[in-house]
Amino acid sequence: MAIGRSPERIVVIGAGMAGLVCTLELMKQGYNVRLLEANSRPGGRIYTMRDPFADGMFCEMGAAFIGAHHFLTLSYARQVGVQLINVPVPGRSLSYINGRLIIDSPDEPALWPVSLTAEERMLGYAGILEKYLEPGLQATGNPFLPGWPTKQAVQLDSMTMEQYLIGQGASSGAIKLFEIGYMQMLGDGIRKVSALQRLLDLKMASSERSTQTIVGGMDQLPKKLALTIGSTISYGCAVTHIEQSNKEVTIQFIHSGEVFTISCDRVVLAIPSTVLRTIHFSPPLSKEKNEVIQNQLSTSVTRTVIQSRTRFWRNLSSFATVNTDLKIGWLLDATFTQTTSKRGLICSYSSGESARELSRAGTINSAISEMKQVFPELSNHYEGGMVFSWDHNPYSRGAYAWYQPKQMIRMLPTLFSEQGRIYFAGDHTSLFPGWIEGAISSALRTVNQIVSSNSL
């Protein structure tokens, strides 16, 4: 901003992590910022659900973990003073595949009920992951260095993750193992997602050091950021129209059934492409920008949470998670950090078509039936549960962005480029959709875009 001028008025739309960090950093720079949020809470897809559960228990519906190399996230966690706790790493892993509960450990390697080559059986699950993933992880390169994307990265973006694995020599049985658990949780799974995105996401997920979560719930981070920002935030404000001229931006939104209009010098849209599609722009966004917004894909995620009167699973080989080949997807102990109750929560994390099927079912029954296949003891301990679909949330309309082949490298520069006085932030505009780290990095990039435009 030029010295002697009044502070620019900036409106940030969306109080997820990207919008919160944008607002905070722009305020530090001396801008006059207002933050509009359609929900009645901050955090976006950081959503800790508490109300349905007994004894003060809670379950994460969205972001749940912070990696040891998520330096931006850890920095803001320190700034606001949330307490972190390490996620335990069990000595054994559990998988449910082809109707069998499989226990795998370094001391007792599993006999997987799939067709593996002799070499793959000798390698074991961990060895299979290393053999087939390590070349791809190296080939992605470093997206923060000049010259990226490299030819290897472009090649990875031109194929699906399944095609990459086949090219590495993975057998059909090995690919079946890649289709259970975390590997399937981008878009509609490894048969459709860009190999580049799948491998970059694995880099973001993995760490040689500990993964952490926030004591008392992940929502403590956005709540404390919101407290720092203060009355700048207005909740219950759903934006419907944005009109841009050479001099200002006019924003129309609905609050408590009434239509309001405000004007500003610039606007930051920190909301997903799926929600941007519902806003009317005048004049329209560029053809290229609009095409990308209309066609960016969003992963379907359905969470099913059951409450158990005891934590009977403590007898089951240090259960923390179970990878399954069922519609319920990935099962995890949602209360591993919560010690005040004898009760517990098991959460099913389902994605893609399986998530859509569970959501369409309309009841919890089909999910419960599959959970009982994995944990027969559940029949004697079940106290109730609930189903939550991100597809049905009006302010997300899906969980996190994903790319088919030849989309990621093409779409990203358009996603984060400004349009006159309109700027775009959010994890969907970053290299790491679905991660708090991606949201924060997008916010800092957007702040730099605004500050740089003022210095010209």
Side-chain angles (χ1 to χ4, degrees):
M1 291 176 293
I3 296 174
R5 291 179 55 184
S6 298
E8 275 201 345
R9 302 161 300 160
I10 298 181
V11 172
V12 178
I13 299 172
M17 281 299 295
L20 290 166
V21 170
C22 263
T23 301
L24 181 63
E25 296 303 327
L26 288 168
M27 289 170 65
K28 289 179 183 178
Q29 294 284 340
Y31 292 91
N32 181 355
V33 190
R34 183 173 179 187
L35 175 55
L36 302 181
E37 168 56 49
N39 282 299
S40 58
R41 60 172 182 84
R45 281 172 286 115
I46 299 179
Y47 179 26
T48 307
M49 185 172 284
R50 305 171 188 278
D51 290 344
F53 309 121
D55 302 342
M57 294 186 297
F58 57 84
C59 181
E60 305 297 348
M61 295 293 106
F65 306 114
I66 302 171
H69 57 303
H70 297 188
F71 302 115
L72 296 175
T73 309
L74 291 168
S75 173
Y76 281 92
R78 286 192 295 269
Q79 285 182 44
V80 299
V82 297
Q83 182 182 351
L84 299 173
I85 184 172
N86 289 338
V87 176
V89 180
R92 303 178 179 183
S93 67
L94 298 179
S95 300
Y96 186 88
I97 184 169
N98 291 345
R100 292 174 52 191
L101 186 64
I102 307 296
I103 301 174
D104 186 41
S105 72
D107 296 332
E108 298 180 58
L111 295 175
W112 296 97
V114 295
S115 298
L116 299 173
T117 66
E119 181 191 11
E120 289 168 346
R121 290 205 177 276
M122 186 174 295
L123 286 170
Y125 184 62
I128 288 172
L129 292 180
E130 182 177 1
K131 174 180 173 63
Y132 296 132
L133 293 181
E134 190 58 36
L137 293 171
Q138 294 296 324
T140 60
N142 186 338
F144 302 108
L145 292 179
W148 196 90
T150 62
K151 289 182 179 179
Q152 287 179 303
V154 172
Q155 186 177 12
L156 288 171
D157 193 38
S158 71
M159 67 182 77
T160 67
M161 187 62 185
E162 180 189 39
Q163 289 169 337
Y164 161 79
L165 291 170
I166 292 172
Q168 293 297 310
S171 68
S172 60
I175 289 173
K176 171 72 173 177
L177 295 182
F178 280 106
E179 288 186 296
I180 63 174
Y182 183 78
M183 285 292 296
Q184 276 293 86
M185 291 180 186
L186 268 180
D188 285 353
I190 65 170
R191 295 176 188 267
K192 294 189 177 181
V193 71
S194 156
L196 178 64
Q197 186 191 5
R198 177 66 279 178
L199 290 162
L200 284 173
D201 179 81
L202 287 172
K203 278 188 171 182
M204 180 55 60
S206 62
S207 173
E208 295 179 358
R209 292 175 287 170
S210 299
T211 298
Q212 296 178 296
T213 190
I214 296 175
V215 175
M218 291 292 291
D219 62 352
Q220 301 305 302
L221 177 56
K223 281 181 177 179
K224 291 197 174 187
L225 279 171
L227 284 173
T228 302
I229 292 167
S231 59
T232 294
I233 306 177
S234 298
Y235 295 105
C237 300
V239 173
T240 57
H241 293 74
I242 295 176
E243 183 175 346
Q244 178 179 198
S245 71
N246 291 332
K247 295 183 178 180
E248 65 179 11
V249 182
T250 302
I251 301 163
Q252 187 178 101
F253 62 93
I254 298 173
H255 177 70
S256 299
E258 293 187 51
V259 177
F260 295 85
T261 301
I262 57 172
S263 295
C264 59
D265 297 296
R266 302 173 194 269
V267 63
V268 176
L269 298 175
I271 54 179
S273 292
T274 46
V275 181
L276 286 174
R277 295 169 200 162
T278 68
I279 297 175
H280 176 76
F281 290 89
S282 178
L285 300 173
S286 71
K287 182 179 178 181
E288 184 181 20
K289 188 80 165 184
N290 185 63
E291 184 268 335
V292 169
I293 289 172
Q294 294 298 324
N295 291 289
Q296 189 179 37
L297 300 167
S298 186
T299 304
S300 297
V301 170
T302 298
R303 300 266 200 169
T304 304
V305 188
I306 64 94
Q307 179 175 302
S308 170
R309 64 181 177 84
T310 70
R311 303 187 188 187
F312 62 86
W313 53 85
R314 286 185 169 175
N315 300 322
L316 299 175
S317 304
S318 304
F319 161 59
T321 65
V322 181
N323 297 324
T324 86
D325 59 359
L326 304 172
K327 289 194 291 293
I328 52 175
W330 192 35
L331 296 180
L332 60 152
D333 176 0
T335 42
F336 66 90
T337 65
Q338 303 170 50
T339 58
T340 57
S341 175
K342 292 182 179 179
R343 291 181 168 86
L345 303 175
I346 297 178
C347 179
S348 154
Y349 188 140
S350 181
S351 59
E353 180 55 33
S354 294
R356 294 188 287 273
E357 285 186 32
L358 289 176
S359 176
R360 286 194 295 266
T363 69
I364 199 172
N365 295 339
S366 59
I368 292 296
S369 176
E370 289 195 346
M371 286 187 184
K372 288 179 179 178
Q373 291 180 45
V374 182
F375 296 130
E377 300 93 335
L378 181 59
S379 298
N380 299 322
H381 298 267
Y382 174 71
E383 290 189 321
M386 50 76 63
V387 179
F388 179 86
S389 167
W390 281 108
D391 282 2
H392 295 164
N393 183 293
Y395 306 124
S396 66
R397 297 172 182 257
Y400 37 85
W402 71 283
Y403 299 96
Q404 293 175 338
K406 299 183 179 180
Q407 287 187 333
M408 188 175 193
I409 289 174
R410 175 177 66 85
M411 285 185 169
L412 268 175
T414 303
L415 281 165
F416 62 67
S417 64
E418 66 265 34
Q419 296 266 284
R421 296 176 175 272
I422 303 174
Y423 296 77
F424 298 83
D427 64 292
H428 65 290
T429 70
S430 79
L431 285 162
F432 307 109
W435 292 98
I436 299 173
E437 193 78 356
I440 295 175
S441 67
S442 79
L444 298 179
R445 183 209 69 237
T446 303
V447 171
N448 285 335
Q449 287 174 320
I450 292 171
V451 172
S452 297
S453 69
N454 274 289
S455 64
L456 296 178

